[in-house]
Amino acid sequence: MNQIEQAEAVFVIFGSTGDLAKRKLFPSIYNLYRKGNLNEHFAVVGLGRREWDDEKLRTVVMESIQEELGEQRPEVTESFLKHFSYLSFDVTNKDSYSELNDKLHILDETFQIPGNRIFYMAMAPEFFGQIAQSIHNEGLKDTQGWTRLVIEKPFGTDLQSAIRLNDEIRQAFSEDEIYRIDHYLGKEMVQNIQVIRFANAIFGSLWNNRHIANIQVTSSEQLGVEGRGGYYEKSGALRDMVQNHMLQMVSLLAMDVPLRLSTDDIRSEKIKVLRALRPIVGESIKENVVRGQYGRGEINGQEVIGYLEEENVSDSSKTETYVAAKLMIDNHVWAGVPFYIRTGKRMAVKSTKIVVEFKELPLNLYSKENKQTGPNLLIIHIQPDEGMTIVLNGKKIGSADTTPVHLQYRHDSEDRFNTPEAYERLLFDCMMGDATNFAHWDEVSLSWSLVDAISKAWSESGEKLPTYRAGSMGPKEADELLEADGFSWWPVEEM
Ligand SMILES: NC(=O)C1=CN([C@@H]2O[C@H](COP(=O)(O)OP(=O)(O)OC[C@H]3O[C@@H](n4cnc5c(N)ncnc54)[C@H](OP(=O)(O)O)[C@@H]3O)[C@@H](O)[C@H]2O)C=CC1
Ligand SMILES: O=C1O[C@H](COP(=O)(O)O)[C@@H](O)[C@H](O)[C@H]1O
């Protein structure tokens, strides 16, 4: 069987009338088809309570392709759209599932699909457990082919709810059938971290506490909460970004060399990192974690409102829109090396970057002579630009002075606004049965353990939340976090 034959499946999208399906899933499926990563043996069933029909769904799919990808190719979209159908469906109604089952059998026959099914949960998390169990109990998994469950974030709202959810879905699907989405793991340069680290002798030998002074991971956004105030009030930056995307990047940066590039070997090394993370509890929370909330300010010359003025946000809200933290990994390789992370909304720039700062030479003859030298840096540009930069010290041409030299490999990201690119890769991996770039349950639970202790302390604390001006790089306390260790944030704007 070739690769594309493995991908022959029916995609069942729970929540097909929603925002995620429109902005990410439909354009991703279209790209897979356009690029030949899907042949004609596939079908998509969209589900939602709305009284739509096939025509309505197809119109929405076409609009989404045009809006997200700017595609105007009627002949391609027509042959593509005939694979889509819609079923009005209430996930809480048991009877709906047998109707869905009948539909799946018909689609298998129409498109000659060997019974493979991807169930994609693009809905609010409170439904995930119930849907998974109904899929199982109503016989939707009883097929000749494989069945896989794709779960959107958030996977729970704390460790307890995540355990509950996991228990529910595990009654219906085995761990290797579950694909927990973290869209950062679908980003080109996040996937490149492993290649940079494990395919280059220069980094392989330097990647430890003897040579690295600190690692900084920044993911800043210019956007505010964009109408998602209701969700964000219960989440905040810690649960929204740190529990998943930020800790995933840290574990990719700190993991040991896996035995092989297999899903199990890579996941097991990432899990070891999360196990070795020093818990941040009690008094150490104040010393190691900074939170903030954006006030009014300016983004790209436009005045913007503060968080407390956003729709569906309480005017006394203590929800953090910014988090910076110092993480320590208590193992042989990383003892003594801080991993600084920061993420926030309404910051000066949209930028996700990793800066690896190497230790200085024990004796640098040029700095002794007051020449301008700095530490060597490896910068991994995740978005919006993609690539890497190595910063070295060199000689200023025609002078005796030294100067920083930037060796760059850069290309503009196709993934500029978190477009379907990442989702497209992850959907393809799921079709291929490759779960490497999805979160394993152990990763999810370990991340929640770290985050829960912090959010509990914050919710019990009467302390005022530092504010930062919209359009800045966050509260001054985040700068002080690094200054206390003799470091500072490397600017992400112009690097
Ligand atoms: N939007 C985004 O960019 C992102 C979203 N996510 C996650 O993806 C998931 C979906 O988000 P999003 O698309 O924004 O949410 P929306 O609120 O836009 O969509 C919710 C969907 O759920 C459907 N739905 C609700 N109740 C029922 C029901 N009882 N039976 C059947 N269908 C129902 C709605 O359909 P109808 O109204 O027709 O019933 C709608 O299609 C969430 O878990 C979210 O956290 C994650 C990352 C980014
Ligand atoms: O998961 C989420 O990520 C986005 C940021 O994603 P990016 O790919 O644009 O960096 C964030 O805006 C959102 O709040 C969060 O839920």
Side-chain angles (χ1 to χ4, degrees), residues 14-24 47-52 86 89-92 120-125 127-128 152-154 183 228 231 418 423:
F14 293 87
S16 69
T17 54
D19 177 70
L20 182 80
K22 184 164 184 190
R23 287 196 304 118
K24 308 281 162 64
L47 307 173
R49 285 166 306 179
R50 275 164 242 192
E51 295 295 330
W52 286 9
Y86 182 79
F89 188 95
D90 187 340
V91 296
T92 60
Y120 198 113
M121 309 251 185
M123 287 189 54
F127 294 110
F128 295 168
E152 262 303 334
K153 65 166 282 221
H183 78 272
R228 292 167 74 214
Y231 155 76
N418 173 24
Y423 274 88

mmCIF file of all heavy atoms in Angstrom, residues 14-24 47-52 86 89-92 120-125 127-128 152-154 183 228 231 418 423, ligand 1:
data_model
loop_
_atom_site.group_PDB
_atom_site.id
_atom_site.type_symbol
_atom_site.label_atom_id
_atom_site.label_comp_id
_atom_site.label_asym_id
_atom_site.label_seq_id
_atom_site.Cartn_x
_atom_site.Cartn_y
_atom_site.Cartn_z
ATOM 1 N N PHE A 14 -16.924 16.928 14.011
ATOM 2 C CA PHE A 14 -17.898 17.381 15.008
ATOM 3 C C PHE A 14 -17.643 18.871 15.220
ATOM 4 O O PHE A 14 -16.559 19.249 15.664
ATOM 5 C CB PHE A 14 -17.709 16.623 16.330
ATOM 6 C CG PHE A 14 -18.041 15.158 16.247
ATOM 7 C CD1 PHE A 14 -17.082 14.225 15.851
ATOM 8 C CD2 PHE A 14 -19.311 14.703 16.549
ATOM 9 C CE1 PHE A 14 -17.394 12.880 15.762
ATOM 10 C CE2 PHE A 14 -19.639 13.358 16.465
ATOM 11 C CZ PHE A 14 -18.678 12.440 16.063
ATOM 12 N N GLY A 15 -18.615 19.703 14.891
ATOM 13 C CA GLY A 15 -18.399 21.152 15.011
ATOM 14 C C GLY A 15 -18.021 21.768 13.679
ATOM 15 O O GLY A 15 -17.250 22.737 13.624
ATOM 16 N N SER A 16 -18.603 21.224 12.580
ATOM 17 C CA SER A 16 -18.204 21.702 11.245
ATOM 18 C C SER A 16 -18.788 23.070 10.916
ATOM 19 O O SER A 16 -18.396 23.696 9.934
ATOM 20 C CB SER A 16 -18.646 20.701 10.179
ATOM 21 O OG SER A 16 -20.059 20.712 10.090
ATOM 22 N N THR A 17 -19.760 23.544 11.726
ATOM 23 C CA THR A 17 -20.325 24.865 11.443
ATOM 24 C C THR A 17 -19.565 25.955 12.213
ATOM 25 O O THR A 17 -19.936 27.126 12.162
ATOM 26 C CB THR A 17 -21.820 24.908 11.845
ATOM 27 O OG1 THR A 17 -21.915 24.504 13.221
ATOM 28 C CG2 THR A 17 -22.660 23.975 11.008
ATOM 29 N N GLY A 18 -18.524 25.547 12.950
ATOM 30 C CA GLY A 18 -17.821 26.497 13.826
ATOM 31 C C GLY A 18 -16.616 27.171 13.173
ATOM 32 O O GLY A 18 -16.295 26.944 12.001
ATOM 33 N N ASP A 19 -15.958 27.974 14.006
ATOM 34 C CA ASP A 19 -14.857 28.828 13.549
ATOM 35 C C ASP A 19 -13.615 28.023 13.153
ATOM 36 O O ASP A 19 -12.998 28.276 12.117
ATOM 37 C CB ASP A 19 -14.537 29.785 14.722
ATOM 38 C CG ASP A 19 -13.381 30.679 14.434
ATOM 39 O OD1 ASP A 19 -13.549 31.570 13.583
ATOM 40 O OD2 ASP A 19 -12.303 30.485 15.029
ATOM 41 N N LEU A 20 -13.252 27.048 13.953
ATOM 42 C CA LEU A 20 -12.029 26.280 13.683
ATOM 43 C C LEU A 20 -12.135 25.541 12.348
ATOM 44 O O LEU A 20 -11.202 25.541 11.546
ATOM 45 C CB LEU A 20 -11.773 25.281 14.816
ATOM 46 C CG LEU A 20 -10.496 24.465 14.635
ATOM 47 C CD1 LEU A 20 -9.289 25.272 15.063
ATOM 48 C CD2 LEU A 20 -10.541 23.169 15.415
ATOM 49 N N ALA A 21 -13.301 24.924 12.128
ATOM 50 C CA ALA A 21 -13.493 24.173 10.882
ATOM 51 C C ALA A 21 -13.324 25.111 9.692
ATOM 52 O O ALA A 21 -12.612 24.805 8.729
ATOM 53 C CB ALA A 21 -14.873 23.531 10.876
ATOM 54 N N LYS A 22 -13.940 26.271 9.793
ATOM 55 C CA LYS A 22 -13.917 27.204 8.670
ATOM 56 C C LYS A 22 -12.513 27.778 8.432
ATOM 57 O O LYS A 22 -12.035 27.828 7.305
ATOM 58 C CB LYS A 22 -14.929 28.328 8.920
ATOM 59 C CG LYS A 22 -15.020 29.274 7.767
ATOM 60 C CD LYS A 22 -16.236 30.142 7.795
ATOM 61 C CE LYS A 22 -16.241 30.972 6.523
ATOM 62 N NZ LYS A 22 -17.189 32.007 6.493
ATOM 63 N N ARG A 23 -11.863 28.177 9.526
ATOM 64 C CA ARG A 23 -10.578 28.873 9.332
ATOM 65 C C ARG A 23 -9.405 27.923 9.103
ATOM 66 O O ARG A 23 -8.441 28.272 8.427
ATOM 67 C CB ARG A 23 -10.294 29.796 10.505
ATOM 68 C CG ARG A 23 -11.199 31.041 10.495
ATOM 69 C CD ARG A 23 -10.715 32.146 11.376
ATOM 70 N NE ARG A 23 -10.547 31.706 12.735
ATOM 71 C CZ ARG A 23 -9.394 31.706 13.374
ATOM 72 N NH1 ARG A 23 -8.303 32.104 12.772
ATOM 73 N NH2 ARG A 23 -9.330 31.303 14.627
ATOM 74 N N LYS A 24 -9.463 26.744 9.722
ATOM 75 C CA LYS A 24 -8.282 25.873 9.659
ATOM 76 C C LYS A 24 -8.522 24.550 8.941
ATOM 77 O O LYS A 24 -7.711 24.131 8.119
ATOM 78 C CB LYS A 24 -7.796 25.556 11.091
ATOM 79 C CG LYS A 24 -7.570 26.749 11.975
ATOM 80 C CD LYS A 24 -6.256 27.415 11.665
ATOM 81 C CE LYS A 24 -6.174 28.807 12.202
ATOM 82 N NZ LYS A 24 -6.226 28.929 13.638
ATOM 83 N N LEU A 47 -20.705 17.927 10.817
ATOM 84 C CA LEU A 47 -21.809 17.791 11.774
ATOM 85 C C LEU A 47 -21.980 19.081 12.562
ATOM 86 O O LEU A 47 -21.003 19.775 12.859
ATOM 87 C CB LEU A 47 -21.511 16.660 12.773
ATOM 88 C CG LEU A 47 -21.150 15.288 12.196
ATOM 89 C CD1 LEU A 47 -20.720 14.345 13.309
ATOM 90 C CD2 LEU A 47 -22.330 14.708 11.440
ATOM 91 N N GLY A 48 -23.216 19.365 12.916
ATOM 92 C CA GLY A 48 -23.537 20.530 13.747
ATOM 93 C C GLY A 48 -25.049 20.531 13.935
ATOM 94 O O GLY A 48 -25.759 19.832 13.191
ATOM 95 N N ARG A 49 -25.537 21.300 14.902
ATOM 96 C CA ARG A 49 -26.993 21.285 15.104
ATOM 97 C C ARG A 49 -27.734 22.076 14.035
ATOM 98 O O ARG A 49 -28.894 21.861 13.783
ATOM 99 C CB ARG A 49 -27.335 21.867 16.489
ATOM 100 C CG ARG A 49 -27.041 20.930 17.636
ATOM 101 C CD ARG A 49 -27.075 21.661 18.937
ATOM 102 N NE ARG A 49 -26.173 22.823 18.873
ATOM 103 C CZ ARG A 49 -25.990 23.689 19.859
ATOM 104 N NH1 ARG A 49 -26.661 23.562 20.973
ATOM 105 N NH2 ARG A 49 -25.153 24.693 19.725
ATOM 106 N N ARG A 50 -27.026 23.017 13.414
ATOM 107 C CA ARG A 50 -27.708 23.884 12.442
ATOM 108 C C ARG A 50 -28.350 23.093 11.312
ATOM 109 O O ARG A 50 -27.797 22.075 10.889
ATOM 110 C CB ARG A 50 -26.702 24.879 11.855
ATOM 111 C CG ARG A 50 -26.568 26.097 12.745
ATOM 112 C CD ARG A 50 -25.335 26.881 12.398
ATOM 113 N NE ARG A 50 -24.448 26.907 13.562
ATOM 114 C CZ ARG A 50 -23.400 27.702 13.670
ATOM 115 N NH1 ARG A 50 -23.085 28.530 12.700
ATOM 116 N NH2 ARG A 50 -22.669 27.671 14.758
ATOM 117 N N GLU A 51 -29.455 23.626 10.826
ATOM 118 C CA GLU A 51 -30.194 22.933 9.756
ATOM 119 C C GLU A 51 -29.553 23.225 8.404
ATOM 120 O O GLU A 51 -30.184 23.800 7.528
ATOM 121 C CB GLU A 51 -31.672 23.361 9.767
ATOM 122 C CG GLU A 51 -32.456 22.953 11.007
ATOM 123 C CD GLU A 51 -32.599 21.435 11.143
ATOM 124 O OE1 GLU A 51 -32.633 20.752 10.104
ATOM 125 O OE2 GLU A 51 -32.663 20.957 12.293
ATOM 126 N N TRP A 52 -28.316 22.879 8.250
ATOM 127 C CA TRP A 52 -27.669 23.063 6.957
ATOM 128 C C TRP A 52 -27.929 21.821 6.093
ATOM 129 O O TRP A 52 -28.328 20.784 6.609
ATOM 130 C CB TRP A 52 -26.152 23.200 7.133
ATOM 131 C CG TRP A 52 -25.682 24.502 7.701
ATOM 132 C CD1 TRP A 52 -26.445 25.498 8.230
ATOM 133 C CD2 TRP A 52 -24.325 24.928 7.810
ATOM 134 N NE1 TRP A 52 -25.636 26.523 8.670
ATOM 135 C CE2 TRP A 52 -24.329 26.196 8.420
ATOM 136 C CE3 TRP A 52 -23.096 24.374 7.458
ATOM 137 C CZ2 TRP A 52 -23.158 26.912 8.680
ATOM 138 C CZ3 TRP A 52 -21.925 25.080 7.715
ATOM 139 C CH2 TRP A 52 -21.969 26.348 8.317
ATOM 140 N N TYR A 86 -23.233 16.954 4.675
ATOM 141 C CA TYR A 86 -23.572 17.513 5.994
ATOM 142 C C TYR A 86 -24.680 16.694 6.642
ATOM 143 O O TYR A 86 -25.596 16.209 5.961
ATOM 144 C CB TYR A 86 -24.037 18.963 5.828
ATOM 145 C CG TYR A 86 -24.350 19.625 7.152
ATOM 146 C CD1 TYR A 86 -23.335 20.103 7.969
ATOM 147 C CD2 TYR A 86 -25.675 19.753 7.598
ATOM 148 C CE1 TYR A 86 -23.623 20.701 9.194
ATOM 149 C CE2 TYR A 86 -25.960 20.354 8.822
ATOM 150 C CZ TYR A 86 -24.926 20.820 9.614
ATOM 151 O OH TYR A 86 -25.193 21.393 10.825
ATOM 152 N N PHE A 89 -26.962 17.331 13.434
ATOM 153 C CA PHE A 89 -26.588 16.316 14.415
ATOM 154 C C PHE A 89 -26.415 16.952 15.784
ATOM 155 O O PHE A 89 -25.674 17.909 15.949
ATOM 156 C CB PHE A 89 -25.233 15.753 13.934
ATOM 157 C CG PHE A 89 -24.711 14.564 14.666
ATOM 158 C CD1 PHE A 89 -24.957 13.289 14.189
ATOM 159 C CD2 PHE A 89 -23.942 14.707 15.819
ATOM 160 C CE1 PHE A 89 -24.440 12.175 14.847
ATOM 161 C CE2 PHE A 89 -23.438 13.610 16.479
ATOM 162 C CZ PHE A 89 -23.681 12.335 15.991
ATOM 163 N N ASP A 90 -27.114 16.393 16.776
ATOM 164 C CA ASP A 90 -26.883 16.861 18.146
ATOM 165 C C ASP A 90 -26.076 15.788 18.872
ATOM 166 O O ASP A 90 -26.540 14.653 19.024
ATOM 167 C CB ASP A 90 -28.236 17.091 18.844
ATOM 168 C CG ASP A 90 -28.041 17.731 20.213
ATOM 169 O OD1 ASP A 90 -26.917 17.641 20.760
ATOM 170 O OD2 ASP A 90 -28.996 18.331 20.723
ATOM 171 N N VAL A 91 -24.891 16.149 19.303
ATOM 172 C CA VAL A 91 -23.998 15.131 19.886
ATOM 173 C C VAL A 91 -24.569 14.514 21.166
ATOM 174 O O VAL A 91 -24.142 13.453 21.596
ATOM 175 C CB VAL A 91 -22.583 15.689 20.180
ATOM 176 C CG1 VAL A 91 -21.877 16.092 18.907
ATOM 177 C CG2 VAL A 91 -22.593 16.825 21.181
ATOM 178 N N THR A 92 -25.537 15.210 21.774
ATOM 179 C CA THR A 92 -26.097 14.682 23.028
ATOM 180 C C THR A 92 -27.256 13.711 22.757
ATOM 181 O O THR A 92 -27.763 13.088 23.674
ATOM 182 C CB THR A 92 -26.605 15.846 23.923
ATOM 183 O OG1 THR A 92 -27.616 16.550 23.195
ATOM 184 C CG2 THR A 92 -25.494 16.794 24.300
ATOM 185 N N TYR A 120 -12.916 14.002 14.239
ATOM 186 C CA TYR A 120 -12.239 15.245 14.646
ATOM 187 C C TYR A 120 -13.167 16.057 15.545
ATOM 188 O O TYR A 120 -14.249 16.463 15.145
ATOM 189 C CB TYR A 120 -11.874 16.069 13.397
ATOM 190 C CG TYR A 120 -10.819 17.106 13.680
ATOM 191 C CD1 TYR A 120 -9.554 17.020 13.117
ATOM 192 C CD2 TYR A 120 -11.080 18.181 14.545
ATOM 193 C CE1 TYR A 120 -8.583 17.975 13.394
ATOM 194 C CE2 TYR A 120 -10.112 19.127 14.824
ATOM 195 C CZ TYR A 120 -8.869 19.022 14.248
ATOM 196 O OH TYR A 120 -7.919 19.962 14.521
ATOM 197 N N MET A 121 -12.721 16.302 16.772
ATOM 198 C CA MET A 121 -13.561 17.027 17.737
ATOM 199 C C MET A 121 -13.258 18.519 17.669
ATOM 200 O O MET A 121 -12.399 19.019 18.400
ATOM 201 C CB MET A 121 -13.238 16.560 19.156
ATOM 202 C CG MET A 121 -13.271 15.081 19.284
ATOM 203 S SD MET A 121 -14.701 14.651 20.227
ATOM 204 C CE MET A 121 -14.434 12.929 20.372
ATOM 205 N N ALA A 122 -13.962 19.214 16.795
ATOM 206 C CA ALA A 122 -13.786 20.672 16.706
ATOM 207 C C ALA A 122 -14.914 21.344 17.469
ATOM 208 O O ALA A 122 -15.664 22.157 16.919
ATOM 209 C CB ALA A 122 -13.761 21.094 15.245
ATOM 210 N N MET A 123 -15.045 20.956 18.729
ATOM 211 C CA MET A 123 -16.162 21.454 19.562
ATOM 212 C C MET A 123 -15.665 21.808 20.943
ATOM 213 O O MET A 123 -14.540 21.514 21.293
ATOM 214 C CB MET A 123 -17.192 20.333 19.717
ATOM 215 C CG MET A 123 -17.978 20.095 18.451
ATOM 216 S SD MET A 123 -19.313 18.977 18.750
ATOM 217 C CE MET A 123 -20.190 19.715 20.088
ATOM 218 N N ALA A 124 -16.567 22.369 21.729
ATOM 219 C CA ALA A 124 -16.181 22.709 23.100
ATOM 220 C C ALA A 124 -15.796 21.428 23.860
ATOM 221 O O ALA A 124 -16.432 20.385 23.672
ATOM 222 C CB ALA A 124 -17.350 23.393 23.791
ATOM 223 N N PRO A 125 -14.749 21.499 24.691
ATOM 224 C CA PRO A 125 -14.203 20.301 25.330
ATOM 225 C C PRO A 125 -15.186 19.537 26.210
ATOM 226 O O PRO A 125 -15.001 18.340 26.406
ATOM 227 C CB PRO A 125 -13.049 20.838 26.183
ATOM 228 C CG PRO A 125 -12.896 22.250 25.856
ATOM 229 C CD PRO A 125 -14.006 22.710 25.004
ATOM 230 N N PHE A 127 -17.829 18.342 25.543
ATOM 231 C CA PHE A 127 -18.515 17.274 24.788
ATOM 232 C C PHE A 127 -17.592 16.093 24.449
ATOM 233 O O PHE A 127 -18.062 15.048 24.024
ATOM 234 C CB PHE A 127 -19.063 17.838 23.470
ATOM 235 C CG PHE A 127 -20.153 18.864 23.652
ATOM 236 C CD1 PHE A 127 -19.924 20.199 23.362
ATOM 237 C CD2 PHE A 127 -21.418 18.483 24.097
ATOM 238 C CE1 PHE A 127 -20.932 21.142 23.508
ATOM 239 C CE2 PHE A 127 -22.431 19.425 24.245
ATOM 240 C CZ PHE A 127 -22.186 20.765 23.952
ATOM 241 N N PHE A 128 -16.273 16.280 24.579
ATOM 242 C CA PHE A 128 -15.333 15.282 24.045
ATOM 243 C C PHE A 128 -15.592 13.873 24.581
ATOM 244 O O PHE A 128 -15.637 12.899 23.832
ATOM 245 C CB PHE A 128 -13.874 15.658 24.359
ATOM 246 C CG PHE A 128 -13.370 16.914 23.698
ATOM 247 C CD1 PHE A 128 -12.158 17.489 24.104
ATOM 248 C CD2 PHE A 128 -14.074 17.522 22.666
ATOM 249 C CE1 PHE A 128 -11.672 18.632 23.504
ATOM 250 C CE2 PHE A 128 -13.602 18.689 22.061
ATOM 251 C CZ PHE A 128 -12.396 19.242 22.486
ATOM 252 N N GLU A 152 -9.106 18.523 20.036
ATOM 253 C CA GLU A 152 -8.593 19.896 20.054
ATOM 254 C C GLU A 152 -8.225 20.295 21.480
ATOM 255 O O GLU A 152 -8.643 19.680 22.448
ATOM 256 C CB GLU A 152 -9.686 20.837 19.535
ATOM 257 C CG GLU A 152 -9.527 21.211 18.083
ATOM 258 C CD GLU A 152 -8.182 21.859 17.774
ATOM 259 O OE1 GLU A 152 -7.576 22.449 18.675
ATOM 260 O OE2 GLU A 152 -7.742 21.769 16.619
ATOM 261 N N LYS A 153 -7.463 21.342 21.595
ATOM 262 C CA LYS A 153 -7.204 21.912 22.909
ATOM 263 C C LYS A 153 -8.397 22.765 23.341
ATOM 264 O O LYS A 153 -9.147 23.207 22.466
ATOM 265 C CB LYS A 153 -5.921 22.735 22.898
ATOM 266 C CG LYS A 153 -5.995 23.960 22.011
ATOM 267 C CD LYS A 153 -4.881 24.894 22.263
ATOM 268 C CE LYS A 153 -5.121 25.699 23.514
ATOM 269 N NZ LYS A 153 -4.754 27.113 23.388
ATOM 270 N N PRO A 154 -8.637 23.082 24.565
ATOM 271 C CA PRO A 154 -7.816 22.658 25.695
ATOM 272 C C PRO A 154 -8.174 21.238 26.136
ATOM 273 O O PRO A 154 -9.344 20.874 26.125
ATOM 274 C CB PRO A 154 -8.201 23.663 26.779
ATOM 275 C CG PRO A 154 -9.595 24.065 26.449
ATOM 276 C CD PRO A 154 -9.736 23.984 24.964
ATOM 277 N N HIS A 183 -1.099 22.737 17.944
ATOM 278 C CA HIS A 183 -0.766 23.163 16.582
ATOM 279 C C HIS A 183 0.667 23.684 16.458
ATOM 280 O O HIS A 183 1.221 23.739 15.364
ATOM 281 C CB HIS A 183 -1.793 24.159 16.021
ATOM 282 C CG HIS A 183 -1.659 25.551 16.524
ATOM 283 N ND1 HIS A 183 -2.270 25.992 17.662
ATOM 284 C CD2 HIS A 183 -0.977 26.621 16.034
ATOM 285 C CE1 HIS A 183 -1.971 27.266 17.850
ATOM 286 N NE2 HIS A 183 -1.189 27.678 16.871
ATOM 287 N N ARG A 228 -12.944 36.391 22.170
ATOM 288 C CA ARG A 228 -12.942 35.116 22.908
ATOM 289 C C ARG A 228 -12.845 35.352 24.410
ATOM 290 O O ARG A 228 -12.341 34.515 25.170
ATOM 291 C CB ARG A 228 -11.768 34.246 22.458
ATOM 292 C CG ARG A 228 -11.888 33.725 21.032
ATOM 293 C CD ARG A 228 -10.574 33.150 20.557
ATOM 294 N NE ARG A 228 -10.251 31.859 21.137
ATOM 295 C CZ ARG A 228 -9.015 31.455 21.421
ATOM 296 N NH1 ARG A 228 -7.991 32.249 21.211
ATOM 297 N NH2 ARG A 228 -8.797 30.269 21.931
ATOM 298 N N TYR A 231 -14.066 32.579 26.879
ATOM 299 C CA TYR A 231 -13.117 31.461 27.037
ATOM 300 C C TYR A 231 -11.874 31.916 27.810
ATOM 301 O O TYR A 231 -11.425 31.284 28.761
ATOM 302 C CB TYR A 231 -12.730 30.916 25.657
ATOM 303 C CG TYR A 231 -11.379 30.232 25.619
ATOM 304 C CD1 TYR A 231 -11.215 28.951 26.142
ATOM 305 C CD2 TYR A 231 -10.250 30.884 25.088
ATOM 306 C CE1 TYR A 231 -9.967 28.323 26.127
ATOM 307 C CE2 TYR A 231 -9.014 30.273 25.076
ATOM 308 C CZ TYR A 231 -8.869 28.994 25.589
ATOM 309 O OH TYR A 231 -7.632 28.393 25.583
ATOM 310 N N ASN A 418 -0.711 31.822 11.418
ATOM 311 C CA ASN A 418 -1.168 30.526 11.906
ATOM 312 C C ASN A 418 -2.188 29.975 10.921
ATOM 313 O O ASN A 418 -3.254 29.542 11.283
ATOM 314 C CB ASN A 418 -1.728 30.706 13.318
ATOM 315 C CG ASN A 418 -2.367 29.458 13.840
ATOM 316 O OD1 ASN A 418 -2.036 28.383 13.393
ATOM 317 N ND2 ASN A 418 -3.270 29.620 14.779
ATOM 318 N N TYR A 423 -1.965 22.887 10.615
ATOM 319 C CA TYR A 423 -3.055 21.910 10.680
ATOM 320 C C TYR A 423 -2.953 20.906 9.539
ATOM 321 O O TYR A 423 -3.249 19.726 9.704
ATOM 322 C CB TYR A 423 -4.413 22.631 10.643
ATOM 323 C CG TYR A 423 -4.853 23.057 12.023
ATOM 324 C CD1 TYR A 423 -4.469 24.271 12.552
ATOM 325 C CD2 TYR A 423 -5.628 22.224 12.813
ATOM 326 C CE1 TYR A 423 -4.848 24.659 13.825
ATOM 327 C CE2 TYR A 423 -6.024 22.588 14.085
ATOM 328 C CZ TYR A 423 -5.633 23.817 14.590
ATOM 329 O OH TYR A 423 -5.998 24.175 15.850
HETATM 330 N N1 LIG B 1 -11.227 28.673 16.696
HETATM 331 C C1 LIG B 1 -9.922 28.516 16.870
HETATM 332 O O1 LIG B 1 -9.076 29.191 16.275
HETATM 333 C C2 LIG B 1 -9.426 27.460 17.798
HETATM 334 C C3 LIG B 1 -10.297 26.588 18.413
HETATM 335 N N2 LIG B 1 -9.800 25.599 19.212
HETATM 336 C C4 LIG B 1 -10.706 24.622 19.842
HETATM 337 O O2 LIG B 1 -11.528 24.029 18.846
HETATM 338 C C5 LIG B 1 -12.795 23.731 19.376
HETATM 339 C C6 LIG B 1 -13.870 24.422 18.535
HETATM 340 O O3 LIG B 1 -13.665 25.810 18.557
HETATM 341 P P1 LIG B 1 -14.475 26.807 17.617
HETATM 342 O O4 LIG B 1 -14.650 26.257 16.273
HETATM 343 O O5 LIG B 1 -13.802 28.117 17.757
HETATM 344 O O6 LIG B 1 -15.898 26.867 18.345
HETATM 345 P P2 LIG B 1 -17.274 27.436 17.778
HETATM 346 O O7 LIG B 1 -18.026 27.918 18.961
HETATM 347 O O8 LIG B 1 -17.064 28.358 16.645
HETATM 348 O O9 LIG B 1 -17.993 26.133 17.199
HETATM 349 C C7 LIG B 1 -18.590 25.175 18.032
HETATM 350 C C8 LIG B 1 -19.187 24.078 17.181
HETATM 351 O O10 LIG B 1 -19.815 23.131 18.034
HETATM 352 C C9 LIG B 1 -21.080 22.805 17.494
HETATM 353 N N3 LIG B 1 -21.970 22.349 18.567
HETATM 354 C C10 LIG B 1 -22.192 22.928 19.767
HETATM 355 N N4 LIG B 1 -23.054 22.195 20.490
HETATM 356 C C11 LIG B 1 -23.384 21.121 19.730
HETATM 357 C C12 LIG B 1 -24.209 19.987 19.935
HETATM 358 N N5 LIG B 1 -24.899 19.788 21.057
HETATM 359 N N6 LIG B 1 -24.295 19.069 18.959
HETATM 360 C C13 LIG B 1 -23.626 19.237 17.800
HETATM 361 N N7 LIG B 1 -22.813 20.280 17.551
HETATM 362 C C14 LIG B 1 -22.704 21.224 18.505
HETATM 363 C C15 LIG B 1 -21.534 24.087 16.845
HETATM 364 O O11 LIG B 1 -22.464 23.786 15.851
HETATM 365 P P3 LIG B 1 -23.985 24.275 15.899
HETATM 366 O O12 LIG B 1 -23.984 25.653 16.462
HETATM 367 O O13 LIG B 1 -24.408 24.194 14.464
HETATM 368 O O14 LIG B 1 -24.649 23.271 16.753
HETATM 369 C C16 LIG B 1 -20.236 24.566 16.212
HETATM 370 O O15 LIG B 1 -20.031 23.920 14.973
HETATM 371 C C17 LIG B 1 -12.753 24.200 20.836
HETATM 372 O O16 LIG B 1 -12.348 23.098 21.622
HETATM 373 C C18 LIG B 1 -11.662 25.257 20.835
HETATM 374 O O17 LIG B 1 -11.064 25.380 22.100
HETATM 375 C C19 LIG B 1 -8.446 25.445 19.416
HETATM 376 C C20 LIG B 1 -7.549 26.299 18.852
HETATM 377 C C21 LIG B 1 -7.938 27.389 18.013
#
